[in-house]
Amino acid sequence: MLDLLQNPEIQRLLLLTEDGLLFAIWETIYVTVLSTFFSYLIGLPLGVLVVVGEPGGVLPLPKPLMSVLNVVINLLRSVPFLILMVLVIPLSRLILGTSIGTVATIIPLIVAAFPFVARLVEASLREIDSGVVEAAQAMGCSPFQIIRKVMIPESLPSLITGFTTAFITILSYGAMAGAIGGGGLGAMALNLGYQRRMILILWVAVIVLVILVQIFQTIGTHLSISLDRRLTATKKKGKKRSSDR
C-alpha cells in the first residue's frame, strides 16, 4: 500500500488534475446539483398536479390528462437507468451538441430522475391530513393558495426527506454514468480503478462516494427533523413536563 501511494502516477491521480480525485469530486457534485435542480423543476409541479388534479382534489383536471401524466411517469420510472442513458443519447446530442462527457450526462440524469421526484412529491403531499385542506377550502382559499400556503408548508419535512433521497439517488446514477463516457467519481472508479486495475483508485473513489452520501443524508435528516412541527411540539411538551416536576 505504501509503495502504491509513493508511485508518482498514483499521487498525480489523487490530486487536483484533470483526471484527479478532487476534480472528480467537483464533477460529481456539480452534475448532481444541476441534475437535482432541473429534476425538481419538472418533477415538483408534476407531483403536485398528480395529487391536486385527481377527482376530489383541490384542482380537478380532465381524466385523460391525468392518465397521460401517470403513464408517462410510470413508463420512465420502469426503464433501467443504464438503458435509459443510451436511449436519451440523441436528446443529449440535440440539446448540448454532444453525447459524451460530464455535462452530457445531465440530460439522461434529469430524464431518469424527474419521474422519481414526482412520485416522492406525490407521496409527501398525500401524508397531509385531509382536514387541514378541507379547512382551507372552507375559508375560501383558492386552489393555488391551498397548494402554496397549506400543502407545501405542511409537507415540508417530508419533502426535504424526499429531496435528500432524490439527491443521493441522482448521485448514484451519476456514478453509473461513467459507463457511457461521463466523468466524476464513477468514471474514475470504472475507467482507472477497474479497467486499469488500479485497485487503490477504485477503493478511494468508492469510499469518497460513501462519505458524500453520509454527509448529504445527515444534512437532509437534520433539516427535516428541525422543520417537523410535530417533533418540535413533542420536545416542548417533554421539556415542560420535566420542568413541572
Side-chain angles (χ1 to χ4, degrees), residues 194-235:
Y194 177 73
Q195 293 182 1
R196 297 188 186 180
R197 301 190 181 279
M198 295 180 179
I199 305 301
L200 177 62
I201 298 297
L202 174 62
W203 279 105
V204 167
V206 170
I207 291 170
V208 171
L209 279 170
V210 171
I211 292 172
L212 289 176
V213 169
Q214 294 300 318
I215 291 172
F216 294 128
Q217 182 65 63
T218 301
I219 294 172
T221 302
H222 176 74
L223 286 174
S224 178
I225 291 174
S226 63
L227 292 172
D228 195 329
R229 298 174 185 175
R230 295 167 297 180
L231 293 176
T232 304
T234 303
K235 288 180 181 179

Side-chain angles (χ1 to χ4, degrees), residues 20 22 24 38 45-46 61 63 80 107 155 160 172 178 180 216 218 243:
L22 296 181
F38 286 108
L46 275 180
L61 296 174
K63 191 173 180 180
I107 301 300
S155 61
I160 291 176
S172 65
I180 61 164
F216 294 128
T218 301
S243 61

Side-chain angles (χ1 to χ4, degrees), residues 14 34 91 105 133:
L14 293 175
L34 286 177
L91 182 61
T105 61
V133 177

Side-chain angles (χ1 to χ4, degrees), residues 56-58 128-141 146 150-151:
V58 299
I128 302 172
D129 186 356
S130 59
V132 177
V133 177
E134 291 171 0
Q137 288 176 318
M139 289 189 292
C141 295
I146 294 173
V150 178
M151 298 181 73

Side-chain angles (χ1 to χ4, degrees), residues 23-36:
F23 188 78
I25 293 173
W26 160 246
E27 283 187 317
T28 298
I29 292 176
Y30 92 75
V31 166
T32 304
V33 170
L34 286 177
S35 301
T36 305

Side-chain angles (χ1 to χ4, degrees), residues 106-139:
I106 294 176
I107 301 300
L109 283 172
I110 295 170
V111 174
F114 85 79
F116 179 60
V117 168
R119 289 305 184 199
L120 288 174
V121 172
E122 178 190 0
S124 297
L125 295 179
R126 292 194 187 281
E127 293 178 3
I128 302 172
D129 186 356
S130 59
V132 177
V133 177
E134 291 171 0
Q137 288 176 318
M139 289 189 292

